[in-house]
Amino acid sequence: MSPSRFVALPMSPWSERARFALDHHGIDYREDAYVPLLGELALRVRTGVYRGRLSVPVLFHEGRVIRDSVEIARYVDRLGKGTPLFPAGAEAEIARYVELTNTLMDAGRVLGVPRMAQSEEARNESLPSFMPAPLRSALSPLAGMGMAYVARKYRLSAQAPQEARDTMRRILEQLRAGLKGRSTLLSDFTFADITTAVALGAVRPVDHPALPLGPGMRAAFTEPPLVEEFGDLLAWRDRLYAERRPTRGSPRPAAAAAG
């Protein structure tokens, strides 16, 4: 049987939390890197979604099309070999953490994408790996076009940076209160831990082979005051990645971060 196809933005937190669930369950899949703007028409044809907003990740499995990172994680929870990520009785609490971390990642995108657009280093790093290194500087405007498309798609220019930082701080305080110094948010490791660990990349990206980042991208998604204030959460995230995050294959190609 051929592997599933997983269409994703390699450095997007929404794609990473679905990928984390796929790897947790040992699902055999091939990842196709999505390129914003350029890849939309092909993805619409593949999914049959011709109107409205279309985003990645998308999983193609045995004739099914599963959209949205949470739905992908729920789907593979029924198929995989790992411990359940959505155990019975935990649905409401997991949904609460999904909502909190969606807000955190949205705020991180408001701050990070414009910084990517302003950094030639980050733009070059965001280009897919199949583009030859000597051409990356020449193709940097292409990456800028993709980031501008993402900014328009999510109306990032209409959101104030300071408001985004205040939102991040509020969510981080709630996550800290929920963790209470434990190793997991609930009684066992669940999708609540995955989505929280991944979302903390909006404060400072994780250093792990599953999510390789260059210095430009890393700088674009780092908030130094929040790094200092919430170092305990980042330390928890780093431990969880070290202990729980499987690594499969070679490092993934870079592409612009978005939902």
Side-chain angles (χ1 to χ4, degrees):
M1 183 181 296
S2 60
S4 303
R5 304 294 289 269
F6 179 61
V7 182
L9 274 167
M11 301 306 156
S12 161
W14 286 269
S15 293
E16 166 59 6
R17 69 182 181 184
R19 187 188 298 114
F20 198 144
L22 285 162
D23 292 345
H24 170 80
H25 282 301
I27 302 297
D28 183 22
Y29 65 93
R30 173 180 169 180
E31 183 170 333
D32 298 332
Y34 175 74
V35 181
L37 186 60
L38 297 180
E40 180 164 339
L41 179 58
L43 185 59
R44 286 190 181 278
V45 172
R46 290 178 72 179
T47 59
V49 178
Y50 295 101
R51 294 188 178 184
R53 180 183 291 180
L54 180 65
S55 61
V56 294
V58 179
L59 179 69
F60 297 87
H61 179 263
E62 296 183 356
R64 298 177 178 86
V65 180
I66 303 95
R67 298 167 56 197
D68 181 81
S69 57
V70 178
E71 292 309 308
I72 291 171
R74 290 182 187 278
Y75 180 75
V76 300
D77 216 40
R78 301 191 294 269
L79 303 176
K81 300 177 291 187
T83 57
L85 297 175
F86 296 86
E91 289 285 341
E93 277 295 283
I94 292 173
R96 185 172 75 87
Y97 282 108
V98 168
E99 182 177 0
L100 286 172
T101 54
N102 280 344
T103 302
L104 179 59
M105 293 187 296
D106 283 338
R109 181 165 53 191
V110 169
L111 298 171
V113 170
R115 286 196 292 248
M116 286 175 61
Q118 294 165 10
S119 167
E120 182 178 3
E121 185 176 33
R123 291 196 305 271
N124 291 344
E125 291 169 5
S126 75
L127 292 167
S129 61
F130 58 76
M131 292 185 176
L135 295 179
R136 286 182 172 266
S137 293
L139 293 173
S140 183
L142 178 63
M145 289 173 59
M147 292 173 200
Y149 169 75
V150 170
R152 291 193 304 272
K153 181 177 180 179
Y154 296 102
R155 300 179 181 178
L156 301 186
S157 62
Q159 303 177 59
Q162 189 54 52
E163 183 178 347
R165 290 188 186 91
D166 292 343
T167 296
M168 290 177 69
R169 179 173 283 104
R170 173 174 56 84
I171 298 300
L172 290 166
E173 288 170 348
Q174 293 182 61
L175 295 175
R176 174 186 277 161
L179 193 58
K180 299 175 183 176
R182 299 178 306 223
S183 60
T184 56
L185 287 158
L186 306 183
S187 58
D188 295 303
F189 177 70
T190 69
F191 190 73
D193 299 300
I194 288 178
T195 191
T196 299
V198 170
L200 288 170
V203 179
R204 186 191 67 201
V206 68
D207 184 9
H208 190 275
L211 204 63
L213 284 177
M217 294 279 283
R218 189 169 290 277
F221 285 90
T222 296
E223 289 293 322
L226 296 180
V227 169
E228 183 176 355
E229 185 175 351
F230 296 96
D232 56 327
L233 288 179
L234 295 173
W236 168 83
R237 185 274 311 274
D238 292 346
R239 288 194 300 272
L240 184 137
Y241 257 79
E243 296 170 2
R244 298 280 191 172
R245 182 66 175 94
T247 303
R248 59 186 293 278
S250 58
R252 305 175 194 284

